[in-house]
Amino acid sequence: MKIVLAKTMGYCGGVSRALDLAEEAIAYATEHALPVYSLGKLIHNPQVIASLAERGMSIIEHPEGYEPGVLVVRAHGISDMLRKEFIDAGFLLFDATCPVVRHNLSNIAHWAKTRPILIIGHKGHPEVLAMQGVHVGGKPIKSFLITNAEETSSLIDRPYAVFVQTTFDQVLLEEIRGSLEAFHHVVYVNEICPSSISRRMAALDLARQCDAALVIGGKQSANTKALAELVSNEGKKAYHIEDSTEIPVEAFSYGTLGILAGASTPSSIIEEVVQTLQRSKT
Ligand code: SF4
């Protein structure tokens, strides 16, 4: 069996930055004898979350009921209202909102003054919640959320400014864009994540070279799911696994097996998967 690795995989800049900031937050909290929290899971990787938990970082969603301390805001961002709630409750925020996401959030605030905002993304995804939770002049913006092409039929034709969740499935996005072609004066203004694009290009390239692929990443990771989908759409079998213990037996039956990983997969887990495959080959 030949193993081929995707040219781009593993941590993106936003995730690396969030983990660096988490280290700083833990050090600061330890020095000042404060509790340390992350807003939701910092990244979609159970092993990394467990390691942060061992070092005292708890996951919370709201300030109520928790002793004020240091809060790390993940790369997905935070709604303006929730940010205010944490600050008012006495929390110190270490803000790891990815610059790409931050740019989109400030653009939403700008465009919401003149156009209705249409968000394309997964309902309840933290980045989408941050997008929906932008405030202008102290008040929440009015926005519309679309999760698939069918839902566009419920929209009134208005000059929407469209923003897309950075890790949204590209095939689904193209379907939605097709449905929106009947609408007038729609503008797509969101920042595109260069890391997601190069990751997808690498996944496409890999899918064309292999018979099947292992896609490594958290089961909740939207970008990992999107990579697996992309490989499947190329007609190749994609196995979404979290670590080497989940390598399926049939993976060894392929002539060429591709390996790719989501933006929140540590290199140690990727290496472990590759080493397990190589050990089993001999
Ligand atoms: S995938 Fe892109 S937008 Fe999302 S955190 Fe990483 S660099 Fe930022």
Side-chain angles (χ1 to χ4, degrees), residues 48-102:
V48 174
I49 296 300
S51 152
L52 291 170
E54 270 171 27
R55 295 161 62 212
M57 183 174 275
S58 309
I59 297 171
I60 59 174
E61 304 284 350
H62 295 280
E64 297 88 47
Y66 297 98
E67 183 190 345
V70 178
L71 177 81
V72 182
V73 174
R74 61 197 154 186
H76 298 310
I78 183 172
S79 74
D80 286 337
M81 190 168 82
L82 195 52
R83 178 190 297 277
K84 185 173 180 318
E85 284 176 18
F86 273 109
I87 291 171
D88 289 350
F91 285 74
L92 175 66
L93 270 53
F94 277 50
D95 192 349
T97 304
C98 174
V100 179
V101 175
R102 189 192 301 276

Side-chain angles (χ1 to χ4, degrees), residues 12-15 75 98 100-101 166-167 193 195-196:
C12 64
V15 166
C98 174
V100 179
V101 175
T166 50
T167 48
C193 166
S195 168
S196 289

Side-chain angles (χ1 to χ4, degrees), residues 3 5 27 45 79 116 119 175-177 182-183 187 212 218 265 271-272 274:
I3 298 168
L5 304 181
N45 182 275
S79 74
I119 296 168
E175 284 175 18
I176 295 172
R177 285 184 73 126
F183 290 69
V187 286
T265 308
E271 279 160 25
E272 175 61 24
V274 173

Side-chain angles (χ1 to χ4, degrees), residues 203-215 227-239 254 256-258 260:
L204 266 181
D205 190 37
L206 185 85
R208 285 166 192 157
Q209 297 176 50
C210 64
D211 302 313
L214 297 181
V215 187
L227 290 177
E229 188 79 25
L230 208 147
V231 173
S232 298
N233 289 338
E234 286 297 302
K236 303 294 169 65
K237 179 78 183 167
Y239 299 93
Y254 294 98
T256 304
L257 185 68
L260 60 161

